[in-house]
Each structure stands twice: as structure tokens, then as C-alpha cells.
Amino acid sequence: TAIPPINVFLNSSRFIDDLPDVVIMGVAEKYILRLPEVSLENKPRRPPWLRRTIEDYLRSNSSLAIMLDRVYKNSMCSRIKGGINRIKGTVLARARSLVTKKIENSEPKMSTKMLFFPGIGSNNDVSPEEISRIVNIIKSYNQVLQKRGIHFIFLPIPSKENIYYELLPSIKKPVFLGQLIQKLLNESIEVVDTQKAFEEARKRNLLLYHVDDTHWNENGVKLAADLIERLLKEDRKEKE
């Protein structure tokens, strides 16, 4: 869920030869403010002949594509391991900013430790002007895809610091994502309300993120998947 390269996607062959019915754009909360702009006149351009030939060949030879993917990932792992060894000192220094705090809930009772990164400094306020800017960018995505007959759904992924804000030293309830979702709904942009759903799940004491990692766990993924499925079913009923 890094920043989606929307302009790359729009100019790829998949948006020329075989248009998808639905595009679900999942974006982690920390990347939303960095979403790139897209031109409303953005038109799909057929990729160069050689690139198109290679893509077609890999589609028809899945075993080769899988092998090349594994080779690439193995080389990336080696680079990452080398990088980690070179920056151990930096990692140890940054580790001081990680925040751990014991979770103690009343009903039902749960006690464990949870890691946050960056911890302090999370859930900062976002100005109304900045929210409006992001709303306009996401609206432009919807408009470009609608012109091509594609159904657009925006899926914001709340940060761990957002949902478990009370475990941070500031104990500051974040409002950015909730405000963004409401403004998108007001603009008739189809959006998955993960903020509300995750907050409700948190109240039920459902652990949504890995305790020692910033990513959501299988509970968080399943919750988001269920929301998407429900949304798609509702859309299908409206069309019938």
C-alpha cells in the first residue's frame, strides 16, 4: 500500500486491451497526503512494441514469469540484507523513538505489548485546505476512470497509531481519516469506511494489527475484504 503510481497504471496495456470493471485503490493512511495528481485528459497510450511483446509473452508463460519474479525478489532480499548490515547503527538510534506500551482493557481483559513506529508525532492535524486538495485529487481519479467505464472505489487503510491512539503518549484522537472519508462521500465518491469499521472492531477488542509490526494482521485484512464485498454486492443490486 505504498503510493499508487496512478499515471503508470492508466498508461499500461491493461487499461487499453482489457479494461477492468472495477478499480479498488488501497492506500495506507500515511501515504494519502502524497497521492499524485492525474490529468483529466489522461489518455491510455499503447506501450512500445518491445515492452508489449514481452508483457504478452510473460502472460502466456506464467511459469517463466513466476521464476523471474522469484529471481528478482531474491536479489532484492540480498540488497535489503546488505543495507540492513550497513545501517545497524542508524536503526539502533531510531529504535529509541519506538514506543511500546502495555494494553489493558476492562471487558474482555487483555494485556500485551504493542510496538508503534514512529509513535510520537503520529496523528497530526491536517488543515481543511490540505484535505480539500486530497479530495480533489481522488475526485480526478474517479473522473478519469469513469470516462473509461470503470467503477472506482477508494480504500483508505487506517494506521496502527490511528486505531490505537490511546496507547500513544499524546493520547490524541485522530480526525483526519474520518473527515476525508466523509468529504469523499459528500462528493459521491465510493469509499470504504474503514475508519468506522476499525474503530468498532477495536471496541470489541479485536486485534487488527501485528503487535510487533506496523502492518494490519489477518483480522484487519478480513474486515476490509468483508467491507469491499458488501459494497460490491450493494452496487450489483442497484444495477439489477
Side-chain angles (χ1 to χ4, degrees):
T1 51
I3 304 173
I6 183 71
N7 293 295
V8 175
F9 288 148
L10 291 175
N11 290 308
S12 67
S13 58
R14 78 188 79 178
F15 283 92
I16 300 175
D17 302 323
D18 187 19
L19 290 175
D21 295 324
V22 181
V23 167
I24 301 172
M25 179 182 284
V27 187
E29 182 177 356
K30 64 180 179 179
Y31 293 124
I32 291 177
L33 292 177
R34 294 161 58 188
L35 285 174
E37 295 183 357
V38 63
S39 171
L40 295 179
E41 301 303 320
N42 195 313
K43 296 180 180 179
R45 296 192 299 269
R46 194 169 289 278
W49 173 84
L50 179 60
R51 176 181 162 187
R52 192 166 68 250
T53 301
I54 294 173
E55 287 178 350
D56 292 341
Y57 182 77
L58 290 176
R59 287 194 191 96
S60 60
N61 294 271
S62 58
S63 58
L64 176 61
I66 292 172
M67 183 192 73
L68 291 174
D69 180 63
R70 287 176 177 171
V71 170
Y72 172 76
K73 287 179 178 176
N74 285 336
S75 64
M76 285 298 293
C77 284
S78 298
R79 288 187 61 188
I80 291 171
K81 288 178 181 177
I84 289 174
N85 289 330
R86 288 193 300 271
I87 61 172
K88 277 184 177 179
T90 303
V91 171
L92 290 174
R94 298 247 349 233
R96 297 189 186 98
S97 67
L98 302 181
V99 179
T100 60
K101 187 173 181 179
K102 183 170 289 188
I103 305 172
E104 295 181 350
N105 294 325
S106 54
E107 292 294 337
K109 186 79 172 179
M110 181 177 77
S111 180
T112 184
K113 285 189 175 182
M114 185 170 285
L115 178 73
F116 293 93
F117 185 84
I120 299 173
S122 300
N123 302 331
N124 292 329
D125 292 332
V126 178
S127 69
E129 294 77 16
E130 190 70 356
I131 293 177
S132 295
R133 182 185 69 83
I134 292 300
V135 167
N136 288 331
I137 287 176
I138 297 172
K139 278 176 63 179
S140 70
Y141 297 168
N142 184 54
Q143 291 169 352
V144 168
L145 292 171
Q146 276 188 339
K147 285 183 178 180
R148 303 186 191 184
I150 301 172
H151 182 188
F152 175 73
I153 297 175
F154 185 65
L155 172 67
I157 303 171
S159 69
K160 186 177 183 180
E161 292 80 14
N162 174 342
I163 302 304
Y164 294 94
Y165 71 92
E166 77 277 13
L167 302 181
L168 296 176
S170 63
I171 317 180
K172 178 181 179 181
K173 181 175 175 58
V175 296
F176 161 63
L177 200 56
Q179 292 175 341
L180 176 67
I181 290 172
Q182 187 56 56
K183 286 185 177 294
L184 289 172
L185 291 173
N186 293 343
E187 294 289 343
S188 299
I189 306 297
E190 192 141 29
V191 56
V192 182
D193 194 346
T194 44
Q195 180 71 40
K196 180 180 178 181
F198 274 46
E199 284 180 349
E200 291 176 350
R202 170 73 181 94
K203 291 175 183 176
R204 299 196 305 272
N205 205 44
L206 181 65
L207 187 62
L208 300 167
Y209 299 82
H210 293 289
V211 172
D212 58 352
D213 192 281
T214 60
H215 296 87
W216 52 1
N217 61 18
E218 61 183 57
N219 293 330
V221 173
K222 184 179 185 305
L223 180 55
D226 289 343
L227 293 171
I228 293 170
E229 182 182 21
R230 190 183 313 155
L231 201 59
L232 291 174
K233 285 181 177 178
E234 290 174 357
D235 291 337
R236 194 176 300 120
K237 286 181 180 178
E238 290 178 2
K239 293 178 181 179
E240 292 175 351

